[in-house]
Amino acid sequence: MCKVISVANQKGGVGKTVTCVNLGVGLAREGYKVLMIDADPQGSLTISLGCDEPDRLEYSLATAMINIIKDEDIDVTYGLIHHKEGVDILPGNIELSSLEITLTGVISRETILKSYVNKARELYDYIIIDCMPSLGMMTINALACADSVLIPVQAAYLPVKGLQQLIKTIGRVKKQLNPHLEIEGILITMVDNRTNYAKDIAQQVYDVYSSSINVFHIEIPLSVRAAEISASGSSLYVYDPKGKAAFAYSALIQEVISHAM
Ligand code: ADP
Ligand code: MG
């Protein structure tokens, strides 16, 4: 059975894309068939997986969604990019920005991505969706089609307020569009263990949320090598296999796999 995980936080720069890359590739390394979907017009996931100019691609997530809106039959494998580390990618690019505007006037606008994903479920064990930094229509689509949401939170500012808004949105989507939606967990990222500040924030997130939401015990450490992977086109398992961030993501994957069982 396929599990669809959307990686979301309306704040940018919290580690969504880096988490997607290493979660998706890590699951593929465990032998699972993995599709990654780039639902951010910035195309960071697409770039991180080695496609330098996503805006030049003829076919992307936006094209697939437009075809669905036009009620055309779609081949879910069309336009996928295969990455050397064993994952398939449905790329995303700037066309998603205009698609967001188009979506406002479309029937079933919240479930267009779901039509794609439900077909793709037959071919994959995991589908990982990298969300854009907003709670707009693309992110609603990503929540409406997912089994769970993984929420990266950067341990560098007080994240509590933004998190409440996100959790409220997830609750609304669950009630109105996707009753099975669960929160996979809050993942604290970019933890600088040399500072007490990072530890305080991690503790605060844990205190406020862990009674109602899974907060992963695994924290992703701040790592210069992790910041370099988007330019390298590979995951941490290839770029810095012995590093502490690769180790942390491997541990996260074991938790995610055990949740799915
Ligand atoms: P988002 O997708 O939420 O905007 P990114 O994954 O792009 O966030 O990460 C934001 C920035 O932080 C990027 O420059 C990225 O390379 C860097 N980064 C991500 N994870 C780490 C980490 N564990 N340690 C250091 N830098 C990181
Ligand atoms: Mg991103």
Side-chain angles (χ1 to χ4, degrees):
M1 229 176 61
C2 176
K3 182 160 191 183
V4 181
I5 304 176
S6 285
V7 177
N9 187 331
Q10 75 276 27
K11 178 148 177 33
V14 297
K16 289 185 288 297
T17 301
V18 168
T19 296
C20 281
V21 169
N22 294 291
L23 177 61
V25 169
L27 287 165
R29 291 168 69 92
E30 293 288 326
Y32 295 103
K33 280 188 269 173
V34 179
L35 173 66
M36 325 254 292
I37 299 180
D38 190 347
D40 183 348
Q42 292 177 58
S44 314
L45 178 74
T46 308
I47 295 168
S48 297
L49 290 166
C51 170
D52 291 339
E53 293 189 88
D55 293 346
R56 290 189 157 207
L57 292 169
E58 257 172 48
Y59 195 91
S60 66
L61 171 60
T63 337
M65 288 177 72
I66 287 164
N67 289 346
I68 291 165
I69 292 168
K70 289 188 193 151
D71 214 15
E72 285 170 13
D73 264 341
I74 56 150
D75 172 358
V76 288
T77 63
Y78 189 80
L80 297 184
I81 299 172
H82 188 71
H83 185 259
K84 56 185 185 293
E85 291 182 61
V87 293
D88 288 340
I89 307 135
L90 178 58
N93 62 23
I94 192 70
E95 286 173 41
L96 287 170
S97 302
S98 45
L99 177 70
E100 267 226 311
I101 300 163
T102 310
L103 276 173
T104 18
V106 166
I107 297 172
S108 309
R109 57 180 183 255
E110 296 99 346
T111 52
I112 304 296
L113 181 54
K114 188 175 188 173
S115 304
Y116 176 91
V117 162
N118 279 354
K119 274 189 156 182
R121 278 178 188 269
E122 291 163 22
L123 304 174
Y124 293 95
D125 300 311
Y126 283 94
I127 300 176
I128 310 292
I129 306 176
D130 188 17
C131 293
M132 63 193 285
S134 88
L135 293 175
M137 209 33 84
M138 273 311 300
T139 301
I140 300 294
N141 266 265
L143 297 176
C145 70
D147 298 305
S148 71
V149 199
L150 192 152
I151 308 171
V153 167
Q154 185 184 356
Y157 73 113
L158 287 179
V160 176
K161 203 165 176 200
L163 262 179
Q164 276 163 350
Q165 202 186 353
L166 175 60
I167 289 163
K168 216 166 122 189
T169 303
I170 293 168
R172 275 217 310 273
V173 170
K174 188 174 160 90
K175 207 166 160 192
Q176 294 170 13
L177 296 164
N178 183 4
H180 303 295
L181 183 63
E182 285 179 2
I183 297 182
E184 189 72 37
I186 295 174
L187 176 68
I188 301 174
T189 62
M190 299 185 226
V191 176
D192 184 350
N193 278 316
R194 295 165 305 182
T195 69
N196 282 329
Y197 187 56
K199 282 181 212 149
D200 289 349
I201 288 180
Q203 188 61 45
Q204 196 191 5
V205 170
Y206 201 81
D207 290 346
V208 174
Y209 292 105
S210 64
S211 61
S212 52
I213 295 172
N214 176 43
V215 180
F216 289 106
H217 285 287
I218 308 298
E219 294 171 356
I220 308 302
L222 188 75
S223 143
V224 178
R225 305 292 273 174
E228 289 168 354
I229 62 156
S230 70
S232 81
S234 15
S235 75
L236 278 165
Y237 313 109
V238 165
Y239 189 69
D240 187 28
K242 297 205 160 67
K244 52 192 188 333
F247 184 79
Y249 275 114
S250 299
L252 172 72
I253 281 150
Q254 295 310 322
E255 279 203 42
V256 168
I257 293 171
S258 68
H259 284 183
M261 284 174 179

